[in-house]
């Protein structure tokens, strides 16, 4: 599984992320072509090698002509929707700008649709957001793990006057995710911009220190300032996951890696819609289609709508990178014409698959661990039903026997095969 780790311990901004992506090997042409597809006015991108605090880094310069346009979220959404962009890039960029609009709107007490993006740079912000989204899509990583974000301290001048650091929009964007002022020795300055905060909170699939991984590329992006005694940079490490979250196969069975002994924390989406005019017999097929599109879970809740109409809420839990495909299922497989979504933090225990035998028939059993202790054993229901039909026995009896067999056998230690060999 491919993974990117973002080290935001010295802050984050759009240009720092652009520089890190280019430094890690993303062609500048990939970023520039995506920006050109959206930008309504000329935007020039250039990369150069600089030093920050005696460390080498790549600085990505975004050059635009003077513009008096302060576009609203509605304007930006129209630009993105009408642009000749890869669907994955468009989806990411729309979510980033929606997040920015909601945060700025809440801070200023206006609707997101009315937010003008002068605070986050107007055309600069379009280039930063679209370019970073194009760069991460080009990397094609399964996971983006982000460190706690350093936000800085002190105050900053903005269009609305002097603001405390972190600025209100950044504080709102980072609500619910790990952030801190910065390490001792960091200068009293703004270290995380609204654009940087919106990008990282949209891209992140989970938060934390560098995960176990084999690094294949490193990118260091430079910020515009070069304060004495401190490296104003953001790093990304690109590679393949090992340990927690990675899986290996032994004799056809999936085993969790030995380092996978603690819950994995991920940011995921719940997408849902209220439906009162769909033939009920179509609902099971819609659930199957949601799972096939990449949802981790899908379920239905009966509700009562206005005027006493019985209805259903269709829900799907999905990783961010599968959200576009899952949304399409809602619109193609159901009668809804609108969905809503919100982010949730998911804590998932590492698990491994065991195999037990009931009257000579194999049944897979999922074992979940917490700190190397098995805390849950569940036979796979499809296997239970298959064996029950083959033996002409009640499924409830086969289920109980499979679980008893799993409890009775010596459980495989993480990283060992069925005989306990490492």
């Amino acid at each position: 599984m491919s993974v990117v780790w973002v080290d935001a311990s010295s802050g984050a901004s759009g240009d720092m992320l652009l520089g890190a992506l280019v430094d890690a090997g993303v062609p500048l042409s990939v970023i520039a072509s995506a920006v050109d597809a959206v930008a309504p006015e000329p935007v020039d991108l250039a990369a150069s090698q600089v030093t920050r605090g005696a460390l080498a880094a790549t600085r990505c310069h975004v050059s635009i002509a003077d513009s008096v346009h302060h576009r609203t979220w509605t304007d930006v959404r129209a630009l993105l929707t009408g642009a000749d962009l890869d669907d994955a890039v468009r989806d990411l960029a729309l979510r980033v700008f929606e997040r920015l609009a909601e945060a700025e709107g809440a801070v200023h007490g206006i609707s997101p649709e009315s937010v003008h993006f002068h605070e986050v740079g107007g055309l600069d912000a379009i280039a930063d957001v679209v370019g970073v989204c194009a760069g991460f899509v080009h990397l094609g990583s399964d996971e983006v793990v982000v460190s706690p974000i350093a936000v800085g301290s002190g105050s900053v001048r903005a269009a609305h006057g002097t603001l405390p650091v972190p600025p209100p929009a950044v504080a709102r964007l980072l609500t619910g995710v790990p952030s801190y002022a910065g390490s001792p020795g960091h200068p009293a300055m703004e270290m995380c911009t609204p654009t940087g905060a919106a990008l990282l909170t949209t891209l992140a699939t989970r938060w934390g220190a560098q995960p176990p991984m084999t690094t294949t590329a490193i990118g260091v992006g430079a910020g515009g300032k070069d304060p004495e005694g401190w490296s104003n940079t953001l790093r990304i490490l690109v590679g393949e996951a090992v340990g927690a979250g990675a899986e290996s196969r032994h004799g056809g069975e999936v085993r969790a890696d030995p380092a996978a002994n603690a819950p994995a924390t991920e940011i995921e989406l719940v997408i849902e819609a209220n439906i009162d005019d769909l033939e009920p017999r179509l609902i099971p097929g819609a659930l199957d289609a949601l799972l096939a599109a990449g949802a981790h879970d899908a379920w239905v809740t009966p509700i009562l709508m206005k005027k006493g109409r019985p209805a259903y809420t269709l829900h799907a839990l999905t990783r961010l990178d599968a959200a576009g495909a899952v949304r399409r299922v809602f619109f193609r497989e159901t009668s809804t014409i609108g969905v809503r979504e919100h982010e949730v933090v998911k804590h998932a225990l590492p698990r491994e698959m065991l195999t037990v035998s009931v009257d000579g028939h194999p049944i897979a059993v999922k074992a979940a661990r917490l700190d190397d202790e098995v805390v849950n054993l569940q036979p796979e229901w499809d296997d239970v039903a298959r064996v029950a039909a083959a033996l002409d026995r009640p499924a409830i009896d086969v289920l109980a026997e499979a679980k008893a067999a799993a409890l009775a056998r010596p459980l495989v230690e993480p990283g060992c095969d069925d005989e306990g060999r490492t």
Side-chain angles (χ1 to χ4, degrees):
M1 181 175 68
S2 58
V3 62
V4 172
W5 180 58
V6 181
D7 177 9
S9 60
S10 291
S13 65
D15 57 345
M16 292 166 77
L17 282 161
L18 284 175
L21 287 164
V22 173
D23 201 45
V26 176
L28 187 61
S29 59
V30 168
I31 295 170
S33 62
V35 173
D36 289 342
V38 179
E41 302 168 54
V43 176
D44 291 323
L45 298 177
S48 62
Q49 291 300 301
V50 298
T51 58
R52 293 289 183 264
L55 297 181
T58 295
R59 175 90 169 112
C60 193
H61 303 270
V62 178
S63 301
I64 60 174
D66 291 337
S67 175
V68 296
H69 294 291
H70 289 167
R71 295 174 180 86
T72 65
W73 163 220
T74 302
D75 297 328
V76 173
R77 182 169 52 209
L79 288 174
L80 289 167
T81 302
D84 182 17
L85 277 177
D86 180 281
D87 285 343
V89 177
R90 188 193 331 275
D91 180 65
L92 268 178
L94 283 169
R95 289 195 285 118
V96 172
F97 270 110
E98 182 175 32
R99 190 186 300 274
L100 270 171
E102 289 175 351
E104 293 282 1
V107 166
H108 298 300
I110 60 177
S111 72
E113 302 296 329
S114 302
V115 169
H116 286 71
F117 284 110
H118 55 274
E119 280 292 352
V120 291
L123 202 54
D124 280 355
I126 294 175
D128 287 346
V129 170
V130 174
V132 170
C133 291
F136 272 89
V137 169
H138 179 81
L139 290 177
S141 296
D142 300 300
E143 277 205 314
V144 178
V145 184
V146 181
S147 75
I149 300 174
V151 297
S153 60
S155 61
V156 62
R157 288 288 301 173
H160 297 284
T162 301
L163 298 175
V165 173
V170 172
R172 184 168 287 273
L173 285 162
L174 298 183
T175 299
V177 305
S179 63
Y180 65 116
S183 302
H186 279 166
M189 59 178 280
E190 180 185 23
M191 296 168 62
C192 181
T193 66
T195 306
L199 281 163
L200 290 184
T201 51
T202 303
L203 290 163
T205 57
R206 60 188 176 99
W207 300 83
Q210 179 188 345
M213 62 187 291
T214 301
T215 301
T216 56
I218 299 172
V220 182
K225 297 179 180 179
D226 187 15
E228 184 177 354
W230 170 58
S231 177
N232 183 21
T233 56
L234 176 142
R235 290 190 302 162
I236 63 172
L237 273 60
V238 183
E240 294 296 316
V242 297
E247 294 179 326
S248 56
R249 291 189 174 270
H250 299 273
E253 296 186 2
V254 178
R255 301 283 189 210
D257 189 272
N261 58 3
T265 300
E266 300 184 46
I267 305 295
E268 297 200 344
L269 287 178
V270 171
I271 304 176
E272 58 191 19
N274 293 348
I275 301 172
D276 65 353
D277 56 354
L278 180 68
E279 161 64 54
R281 288 175 293 182
L282 296 174
I283 291 177
L287 292 172
D288 290 341
L290 288 169
L291 296 173
H296 283 165
D297 199 2
W299 67 101
V300 172
T301 304
I303 59 173
L304 195 66
M305 294 181 64
K306 62 184 179 182
K307 300 181 181 180
R309 294 200 305 267
Y312 304 93
T313 300
L314 181 62
H315 315 258
L317 175 68
T318 177
R319 282 176 52 153
L320 303 180
D321 56 7
V326 171
R327 286 191 205 99
R328 282 191 285 274
V329 171
F330 273 87
F331 295 127
R332 288 174 57 87
E333 302 290 339
T334 80
S335 57
T336 190
I337 58 174
V339 299
R340 59 186 177 271
E341 57 190 58
H342 59 274
E343 288 189 349
V344 295
V345 179
K346 179 177 125 180
H347 304 278
L349 291 176
R351 70 287 308 267
E352 60 200 78
M353 299 304 295
L354 313 174
T355 301
V356 299
S357 178
V358 173
D359 287 352
H361 293 265
I363 293 178
V365 179
K366 185 181 295 180
R369 293 182 181 269
L370 177 63
D371 298 330
D372 289 338
E373 176 189 0
V374 175
V375 294
N376 191 286
L377 285 167
Q378 286 296 335
E380 292 294 297
W381 178 253
D382 287 348
D383 286 1
V384 170
R386 172 181 52 77
V387 172
L391 297 176
D392 193 22
R393 292 180 54 185
I396 191 172
D397 292 347
V398 175
L399 176 66
E401 189 170 335
K403 192 162 187 178
L407 288 168
R409 61 172 286 175
L411 291 171
V412 177
E413 293 297 324
C416 300
D417 60 18
D418 279 341
E419 283 73 41
R421 295 186 295 260
T422 58

